[in-house]
Amino acid sequence: MVKFPLTGLTIAATGDFGPCRSHDTLKRWVERNGGQWVTKMSEQVTHLICTKEDYRSKAPMGDWNPPKRVLTVIYILTSLSVKQALRLKLFTIVTYDWLEDSLMRRFRLAPRGDYLVARAIKDAKKVKKAKKQTKKETIKKGGTDFHDPKLSPQSMPTCCTVDSFKKECQDIQKQLFSDRYHVYRDSTFFAYDITLVRVNLLQNKSERYVLRLCTTHDVPHYFATLLTYHARNSDSDSNATPAKAVLAPIGSDWTTAFEAFTKAFKGKTGVEWEERFVPRRWGDGGGFVYQVPREGEARGE
């Protein structure tokens, strides 16, 4: 582990990495970890963080200022595209995961395997094929177990079993008084259903918050955000009645519900949602602790 794992690297990015991964956020992470962030392409760039979509479309990125030693024909370029970068082999084109995992491990990972966008695209095709097969098998197993048309096999996430999905919806219904919602899962199958924990050894007390971002079964999708508080005193044989709150009401749009989710996360942990993977000592200052998913588990977009 090193203090500044990105020392000596000049990094640029192209593409949309999601609402919590803006270029400004990436810039802050890179600079905090010893790297240099640039928005204009030059021969000094060592790594280009690129989305699969931009890689496939060979989209343009930034301004290209070629040095004199580059072939004269390059001078006519006004912008550098991913396609040109591939042809000229000017730098390594990596995925967002390469940056995130390097920061998580406090060690600059070698840009190889799935950290290379080209390899990631190839592997994604295999995963997509496997997911389709899994979905078919799940729907087949679900069969006639679904009596409520709102809980159709098509609305059930492929990573859930029939029973677990029904239980999830029933729990949410008790708090929202609506049977149209289930826990939101992103494209990585990460469930926005997290638990934040705080233990006070002096008072023999443990506390936890369950924070949920929910979405409707049907299209168009609407959202809601829920927060439940549980407290337990080890000297007592029973738990106190959970305190429940609706942070974003049913029918909310994505922006409203997601902002409520991230605001609550920061309020309880003291950490920005988009910085949850940055290594730190969770719980400092009396905040609640978020258990970061282990390697190989869905981690969220």
Side-chain angles (χ1 to χ4, degrees):
M1 296 177 65
V2 294
K3 186 174 182 181
F4 300 110
L6 304 182
T7 299
L9 301 187
T10 300
I11 299 174
T14 177
D16 183 0
F17 301 97
C20 296
R21 303 169 176 176
S22 67
H23 286 208
D24 287 339
T25 299
L26 268 61
K27 176 179 182 292
R28 186 166 64 251
W29 291 352
V30 168
E31 293 178 344
R32 284 182 180 178
N33 287 274
Q36 181 181 0
W37 179 268
V38 296
T39 56
K40 293 185 177 182
M41 303 307 302
S42 71
E43 67 173 350
Q44 279 73 42
V45 173
T46 58
H47 293 71
L48 173 64
I49 304 173
C50 179
T51 61
K52 296 174 184 177
E53 293 74 20
D54 275 33
Y55 186 92
R56 291 191 186 101
S57 65
K58 310 299 186 294
M61 185 276 169
D63 295 328
W64 169 237
N65 300 313
K68 292 183 178 180
R69 65 183 180 83
V70 178
L71 297 176
T72 305
V73 68
I74 303 300
Y75 281 97
I76 65 173
L77 298 177
T78 57
S79 66
L80 176 65
S81 68
V82 175
K83 182 177 181 179
Q84 291 161 340
L86 288 169
R87 185 176 71 247
L88 297 174
K89 297 182 179 180
L90 296 169
F91 38 75
T92 305
I93 302 179
V94 295
T95 64
Y96 168 85
D97 289 341
W98 169 83
L99 174 65
E100 184 178 271
D101 289 349
S102 292
L103 298 182
M104 281 289 293
R105 301 183 189 183
R106 305 300 298 171
F107 178 80
R108 184 193 308 169
L109 297 173
R112 59 191 178 193
D114 285 345
Y115 291 135
L116 296 174
V117 177
R119 174 66 179 273
I121 290 175
K122 183 178 180 180
D123 290 347
K125 292 180 180 179
K126 296 180 181 179
V127 172
K128 185 177 181 180
K129 185 177 180 181
K131 284 181 179 178
K132 285 184 178 180
Q133 183 61 31
T134 302
K135 185 175 182 179
K136 289 180 181 179
E137 293 175 358
T138 302
I139 293 174
K140 186 177 180 180
K141 290 179 181 179
T144 57
D145 285 345
F146 289 93
H147 300 293
D148 187 341
K150 295 176 182 177
L151 297 183
S152 65
Q154 288 75 17
S155 70
M156 185 185 75
T158 58
C159 53
C160 290
T161 63
V162 174
D163 291 339
S164 65
F165 185 61
K166 280 187 174 182
K167 185 178 184 304
E168 173 186 300
C169 295
Q170 290 169 357
D171 290 343
I172 294 172
Q173 181 179 356
K174 292 177 183 178
Q175 193 165 353
L176 284 180
F177 302 103
S178 173
D179 59 358
R180 299 177 54 232
Y181 285 79
H182 62 270
V183 171
Y184 171 73
R185 292 167 176 81
D186 60 24
S187 60
T188 70
F189 288 140
F190 174 77
Y192 282 70
D193 183 359
I194 64 173
T195 300
L196 309 175
V197 180
R198 181 170 64 185
V199 177
N200 189 322
L201 297 178
L202 296 178
Q203 298 180 5
N204 292 323
K205 183 180 181 181
S206 65
E207 303 170 277
R208 63 186 173 94
Y209 279 100
V210 177
L211 182 59
R212 279 177 163 172
L213 177 59
C214 307
T215 186
T216 53
H217 310 314
D218 307 320
V219 178
H221 291 295
Y222 296 98
F223 301 87
T225 306
L226 310 177
L227 184 66
T228 305
Y229 173 76
H230 302 262
R232 179 186 178 91
N233 191 314
S234 60
D235 294 332
S236 174
D237 294 331
S238 61
N239 294 334
T241 303
K244 302 178 180 181
V246 178
L247 306 182
I250 58 175
S252 297
D253 58 23
W254 164 256
T255 300
T256 301
F258 185 69
E259 285 182 353
F261 182 92
T262 56
K263 183 179 180 180
F265 181 86
K266 182 180 180 181
K268 304 308 177 187
T269 65
V271 177
E272 296 283 357
W273 174 251
E274 60 268 24
E275 296 184 354
R276 64 195 183 280
F277 296 129
V278 177
R280 69 183 72 253
R281 292 185 59 181
W282 287 91
D284 284 356
F288 282 73
V289 175
Y290 171 60
Q291 182 62 50
V292 178
R294 292 172 294 183
E295 186 174 356
E297 295 180 338
R299 307 167 74 183
E301 296 178 327

